[in-house]
Amino acid sequence: QLQLQESGPGLVKPSETLSLTCTVSGGSINSSRYHWGWIRQPPGRGLEWIGSFYYSGNTYCNPSLKSRVTISVDTSKSQFSLKVTSVTAADTAVYFCARVGSPWGEFDYWGQGTLVTVSS
Amino acid sequence: IQMTQSPSSLSASIGDRVTITCRANLTINSYLNWYQQKPGKAPKFLIYAASSLQSGVPSRFSGSGSGTDFTLTISSLQPEDFATYFCQQSYSTPVYTFGQGTKVEI
């Protein structure tokens, strides 16, 4: 059974960089059938896609966040990571990682999510 | 592409038929997926391609629509169905957007 687990600091200071890692187990991160993504959910609000990376090495980010977001992968550790720079209180959210299927772009497996609070 | 769900919330009783609507501001063919989320949990994937049920999802859930207008229907609401439901478009892959959610309450 595929499992994803987010990890990283739960508290980040304003203007600093948020860094999270997603560890994938029970399946391969190296697959052309799927890609991998990050989604966030501010408290009490809806879901926002942050970005994704593909087996090909390409990464794509939400245009509203693009200049601040970096997604990278370490296939040897079955991990992919998210960095968001210059954070503000508006970046406070539960951050999820997920697998994305093809061709319908469904987020079929999710991590449990991790709350990141931006506060001094 | 913007996705708009209606209503934002609804109250229903056990056994009720519940319908949630999701509208795209541009045509997305059938590139529409549905999720269920309970408090403090990750979303659960329910339906893909507008109407195809994910394996293991109860048959009381169904989806329909194409183009810009879509619906999620729960034919007979069960206690475990009280949750928030989200639609998500994948027509503009690799960029995705979600609806704002519909909360189904008792």
Side-chain angles (χ1 to χ4, degrees), chain A residues 35 39 41 46-47 49 52 54 60 63 96 100 103-108 110-111, chain B residues 30-31 33 35 37 41-43 45 48-49 86 88 90 93-96 98 100:
Chain A
H35 57 281
I39 305 97
Q41 185 172 36
L47 300 165
W49 172 75
S52 300
Y54 286 69
Y60 301 90
F96 298 99
V100 191
W104 298 107
E106 71 278 15
F107 293 81
D108 58 356
W110 295 67
Chain B
S30 295
Y31 287 88
N33 306 309
Y35 304 84
Q37 186 180 34
K41 300 294 187 181
F45 170 48
Y48 64 98
F86 293 93
Q88 172 241 332
S90 57
T93 297
V95 176
Y96 305 104
F98 292 87
Q100 81 279 17

Side-chain angles (χ1 to χ4, degrees), chain B residues 18-91:
Chain B
V18 170
T19 298
I20 297 168
T21 297
C22 179
R23 175 167 290 175
N25 66 336
L26 300 171
T27 182
I28 59 171
N29 294 345
S30 295
Y31 287 88
L32 192 284
N33 306 309
W34 288 98
Y35 304 84
Q36 174 195 68
Q37 186 180 34
K38 297 182 179 179
K41 300 294 187 181
K44 174 186 176 183
F45 170 48
L46 297 178
I47 288 172
Y48 64 98
S51 61
S52 296
L53 213 60
Q54 168 68 345
S55 175
V57 174
S59 59
R60 63 181 179 273
F61 289 91
S62 64
S64 65
S66 67
T68 60
D69 294 317
F70 303 86
T71 59
L72 172 69
T73 299
I74 308 172
S75 60
S76 178
L77 198 65
Q78 298 302 300
E80 60 268 31
D81 300 337
F82 291 97
T84 300
Y85 294 84
F86 293 93
C87 62
Q88 172 241 332
Q89 69 81 19
S90 57
Y91 180 81

